[in-house]
Amino acid sequence: SMDLTSTVGYDSIIQHLNDGRKNCKEFEDFLKERAIIEEKYGKELINLSKKKPCGQTELNTLKRSLDVFKQQIDNVGQGRIQLAQTLREEAKKMEDFREKQKLHRKKIELIMEAIHKNRNLQYKKTMEVKQMCCCFLPYGITLLTHTCMLFLKLAQTKSALEDSDRSYQQSVTTLEKIREEWEKEHIKACEFFEAQECERINYFRNALWLHVNQLSQDCVQNDEKYEEIRRSLEMCSIEKDIDFFINLRKTGSLVPAPVVYENYYNTQRNPAPVRSPVAVPISR
């Protein structure tokens, strides 16, 4: 804008910086919300692994695999809680960054506000003096052209005209000095704001990148936990578990002998004794 007192461009920059700070705050809040979700999920996984039965009467190698399974699910839950803490730490870093930029910006904004105020006051004063000059000049010229007026009156009018013009010149000179100072400070402020915005975008981008890396790392760590379960399952042996159960619950190596008929009704009719069967060993 060609208007010396206009702050449209400056206000646009400040609005853009405020929007950027708001965007950082939104990401910060996003991290905090996800931290709540991760922590809740982690705690529920831990409770599930501790309190919910899952093959609790299994034996031997499968039992060991199930123990590893439940322990690793617990570890996954602990990992979610740790991730939640990491997200809160990253949110705090973003908050600190926002506040640091806000503090540094405030110093520049206060300087610019003072310069704008001083410039506008001097501009207003200059325009008022100019207006007086413009109004007084025709009146003074009219007086000078009337030959019937006293010489003293003409001298006073001429002096007043010269004083008014001198005051106007001084006011314009003062305004120019203030304008030059404003221009210099405005350029410095714009350079500072540009550097700060570059820093903010870079920080925001890196924070997003780090966040995604942390999520990927969490997936890698979880897969390592699940790999422990797979390795345990590879050691699970069907034969060993069945043998373990047999050895644990076996009642002997012989089958019970058959029940033999004994004739108590007529011992004379079948004098030959019935041979008792021999127990047969169990073989697998």
Side-chain angles (χ1 to χ4, degrees):
S1 174
M2 297 304 292
D3 182 6
L4 180 60
T5 61
S6 173
T7 57
V8 173
Y10 178 80
D11 293 341
S12 178
I13 292 172
I14 295 300
Q15 182 60 51
H16 179 71
L17 295 175
N18 287 338
D19 289 343
R21 192 154 57 89
K22 180 173 175 287
N23 292 337
C24 288
K25 179 67 166 61
E26 288 175 353
F27 179 64
E28 176 191 323
D29 292 340
F30 183 93
L31 292 179
K32 290 177 180 177
E33 287 294 322
R34 172 138 194 187
I36 292 171
I37 294 170
E38 293 291 351
E39 185 172 56
K40 182 180 178 183
Y41 179 44
K43 287 180 177 179
E44 289 183 352
L45 275 181
I46 292 169
N47 287 335
L48 178 67
S49 67
K50 289 185 184 304
K51 297 177 181 179
K52 188 70 177 176
C54 183
Q56 62 182 348
T57 61
E58 287 295 343
L59 303 171
N60 205 38
T61 62
L62 183 55
K63 180 182 186 302
R64 287 197 288 272
S65 294
L66 283 166
D67 290 343
V68 171
F69 168 72
K70 294 194 74 177
Q71 181 59 55
Q72 293 304 330
I73 294 301
D74 184 280
N75 291 344
V76 170
Q78 298 288 354
R80 307 317 292 185
I81 293 174
Q82 182 57 49
L83 176 60
Q85 181 59 30
T86 300
L87 295 179
R88 290 192 181 98
E89 290 170 2
E90 292 306 314
K92 184 65 171 63
K93 289 177 185 177
M94 179 61 79
E95 180 184 4
D96 292 343
F97 175 78
R98 279 193 311 105
E99 290 303 313
K100 182 192 75 173
Q101 280 210 329
K102 179 183 176 182
L103 189 64
H104 291 171
R105 247 184 64 196
K106 192 63 180 174
K107 297 174 184 177
I108 303 298
E109 287 182 55
L110 288 173
I111 293 172
M112 292 305 296
E113 285 171 12
I115 287 177
H116 286 159
K117 184 178 179 182
N118 191 29
R119 179 198 63 185
N120 293 351
L121 285 172
Q122 184 59 37
Y123 180 81
K124 182 181 178 182
K125 180 182 176 182
T126 302
M127 292 302 103
E128 287 172 353
V129 173
K130 179 182 178 181
Q131 188 66 27
M132 286 177 62
C133 247
C134 291
C135 291
F136 186 54
L137 187 57
Y139 172 69
I141 291 171
T142 303
L143 287 176
L144 285 170
T145 56
H146 284 81
T147 56
C148 62
M149 298 300 293
L150 295 171
F151 177 78
L152 181 61
K153 191 71 176 176
L154 290 172
Q156 288 175 345
T157 302
K158 185 173 181 293
S159 176
L161 280 168
E162 289 172 350
D163 289 345
S164 180
D165 184 63
R166 191 179 302 110
S167 176
Y168 176 43
Q169 287 182 25
Q170 289 174 349
S171 186
V172 169
T173 301
T174 303
L175 178 60
E176 177 57 18
K177 288 180 180 177
I178 292 174
R179 189 201 66 79
E180 288 176 354
E181 182 188 5
W182 161 78
E183 184 178 312
K184 183 177 68 174
E185 291 300 327
H186 182 78
I187 291 170
K188 283 169 60 178
C190 287
E191 288 173 347
F192 174 82
F193 292 150
E194 181 181 2
Q196 197 176 61
E197 181 65 358
C198 289
E199 181 188 29
R200 187 194 68 82
I201 293 173
N202 184 59
Y203 190 90
F204 200 165
R205 173 186 174 276
N206 289 345
L208 275 167
W209 197 297
L210 177 63
H211 175 59
V212 174
N213 283 350
Q214 287 167 342
L215 298 181
S216 294
Q217 181 63 26
D218 183 68
C219 290
V220 170
Q221 291 171 348
N222 283 343
D223 193 60
E224 289 173 355
K225 296 180 181 79
Y226 299 141
E227 182 61 24
E228 286 293 319
I229 300 171
R230 287 189 285 267
R231 280 196 286 265
S232 175
L233 288 171
E234 286 174 354
M235 302 300 294
C236 180
S237 167
I238 299 171
E239 294 80 4
K240 287 181 180 178
D241 284 9
I242 291 176
D243 287 342
F244 182 86
F245 170 74
I246 291 172
N247 291 327
L248 183 67
R249 302 299 182 192
K250 67 182 178 181
T251 55
S253 59
L254 301 175
V255 297
V259 177
V260 234
Y261 168 75
E262 296 183 40
N263 185 354
Y264 295 103
Y265 172 69
N266 187 352
T267 57
Q268 298 300 318
R269 291 183 61 182
N270 294 304
V274 177
R275 182 179 298 171
S276 297
V278 179
V280 179
I282 297 172
S283 62
R284 293 187 66 243

